[in-house]
Amino acid sequence: MTGGRPRVRQVLVVEGRYDAAALANAVDALILTTDGFAIFKDRETQALLRELGRQRGVILLTDPDAAGFRIRRFVADLVGAEHVRHAYVPAVAGKERRKAVPGKEGLLGVEGFDVQALRQAVLAAGAQRTAERAGRAITYADLYAWGLSGTAGSREERYAFLKRLGLPPRLSKKALCEVLNSLYTWEEIDGMQNGPQRG
């Protein structure tokens, strides 16, 4: 465990950045957001969820209201039910501290639950724990050194590299760092057979 947070193999999917921030305090995992209903039209995030879902599995944790369940159904259909596990928070009346008024249904959203409740929800969904993260983190400087960003031909090199890894080719630099740090160590990428060539 890292800082008391269990490290989880599956990709966790929540609705918004405040949900992601709350969940990041509870578990160590790659957390992706749907940005509410934006996921319905966001092709890059859809492709990323499909690929990572099939490789590692997805745990969905949305708000307990109608909108949350609509997003949950969409992502489950997108990824494939066999790759999806469902985590739930209870339907509790309330509002998040940052909001002046409750949501339309008056229910507390994911971000409003404490660390213990969120951790329990994820573990109860069947989260697969993995070994503690080893090695140092992959940074933007590493992407540059490997010729994957900021150098002549880096776009083509990045596309080819992501294709070899079975990941969507159009990841932003930020998303690429997050995904690589979730799936690999710096040492694995640096020493990968037929991996990225240094520029």
Side-chain angles (χ1 to χ4, degrees):
M1 293 214 279
T2 305
R5 299 175 302 149
R7 188 177 181 210
V8 174
R9 171 179 170 78
Q10 291 108 319
V11 178
L12 304 184
V13 179
V14 294
E15 292 180 51
R17 60 191 178 99
Y18 292 103
D19 300 328
L23 196 54
N25 291 323
V27 293
D28 177 13
L30 176 60
I31 302 171
L32 299 178
T33 65
T34 68
D35 292 326
F37 292 146
I39 185 64
F40 297 167
K41 295 182 178 179
D42 185 341
R43 302 300 182 199
E44 179 181 311
T45 301
Q46 288 179 16
L48 183 58
L49 283 174
R50 271 195 300 265
E51 293 295 337
L52 291 181
R54 287 163 191 167
Q55 288 185 39
R56 301 172 72 82
V58 163
I59 295 177
L60 285 170
L61 180 58
T62 60
D63 290 348
D65 57 11
F69 276 87
R70 185 178 167 197
I71 291 166
R72 188 184 286 272
R73 284 192 300 271
F74 178 85
V75 175
D77 289 345
L78 178 74
V79 175
E82 67 274 22
H83 303 297
V84 174
R85 290 184 178 268
H86 294 273
Y88 298 96
V89 291
V92 175
K95 71 173 185 68
E96 295 76 18
R97 272 180 282 188
R98 68 183 177 86
K99 294 182 179 177
V101 295
K104 191 162 75 170
E105 295 180 32
L107 298 175
L108 194 62
V110 167
E111 67 173 276
F113 286 84
D114 64 26
V115 164
Q116 189 56 42
L118 294 177
R119 183 178 298 144
Q120 182 55 37
V122 170
L123 296 179
Q128 297 174 0
R129 298 193 193 210
T130 61
E132 186 174 342
R133 199 181 301 274
R136 70 172 180 79
I138 296 164
T139 66
Y140 292 157
D142 295 321
L143 300 183
Y144 178 83
W146 289 326
L148 298 176
S149 177
T151 59
S154 62
R155 181 177 177 182
E156 293 76 14
E157 186 67 30
R158 184 167 68 253
Y159 274 31
F161 174 61
L162 288 169
K163 186 175 180 181
R164 286 199 298 275
L165 295 183
L167 294 171
R170 289 180 174 80
L171 290 181
S172 66
K173 188 168 68 170
K174 180 176 183 291
L176 178 57
C177 261
E178 289 177 353
V179 170
L180 291 181
N181 273 310
S182 173
L183 300 177
Y184 304 97
T185 64
W186 179 89
E187 291 79 8
E188 285 171 337
I189 294 292
D190 195 56
M192 190 176 288
Q193 290 286 345
N194 302 315
Q197 302 299 308
R198 289 179 182 79

